[in-house]
Amino acid sequence: NEIFNFIISLLEKHGPIPEENDDWRMAYRFLEEGHIDSFGLNDFIMEIEDQFNVALSSEDTQSEEFRSVGGLVEIIENRIKAS
């Protein structure tokens, strides 16, 4: 999945993700793990918005779904469908 692969590559810019299977990576809660700090979060969001030509709302970024890779993939897929 293009969105999944892009998010994983963005996260890996901030540090390695433990080598596990894709199901584990989909459930990976990158914010709780401290993978991206508050300073890097805005850049992370802007790179996603630029790559997929979507706008993430504050509701999106503050949602429970945004905290995991799989949830973020779902948010982006929904934004793409809505545009």
Side-chain angles (χ1 to χ4, degrees):
N1 176 314
E2 176 191 357
I3 298 170
F4 172 78
N5 290 334
F6 183 78
I7 291 170
I8 294 298
S9 69
L10 270 185
L11 289 172
E12 288 178 335
K13 287 182 183 178
H14 296 271
I17 296 174
E19 289 299 321
E20 300 283 346
N21 62 37
D22 283 351
D23 288 340
W24 184 92
R25 287 178 164 209
M26 285 292 274
Y28 182 59
R29 297 178 67 83
F30 58 92
L31 293 177
E32 290 173 13
E33 295 294 327
H35 206 96
I36 295 180
D37 61 21
S38 57
F39 298 110
L41 189 57
N42 282 337
D43 289 339
F44 178 73
I45 292 168
M46 288 186 340
E47 287 188 66
I48 290 170
E49 289 177 331
D50 288 347
Q51 175 70 23
F52 297 106
N53 196 30
V54 295
L56 299 178
S57 69
S58 59
E59 286 179 4
D60 291 332
T61 60
Q62 294 171 11
S63 70
E64 180 65 26
E65 290 81 13
F66 184 81
R67 299 179 175 282
S68 71
V69 171
L72 181 52
V73 167
E74 193 174 313
I75 289 170
I76 295 166
E77 286 173 343
N78 290 337
R79 288 284 169 233
I80 290 170
K81 288 176 190 173
S83 61

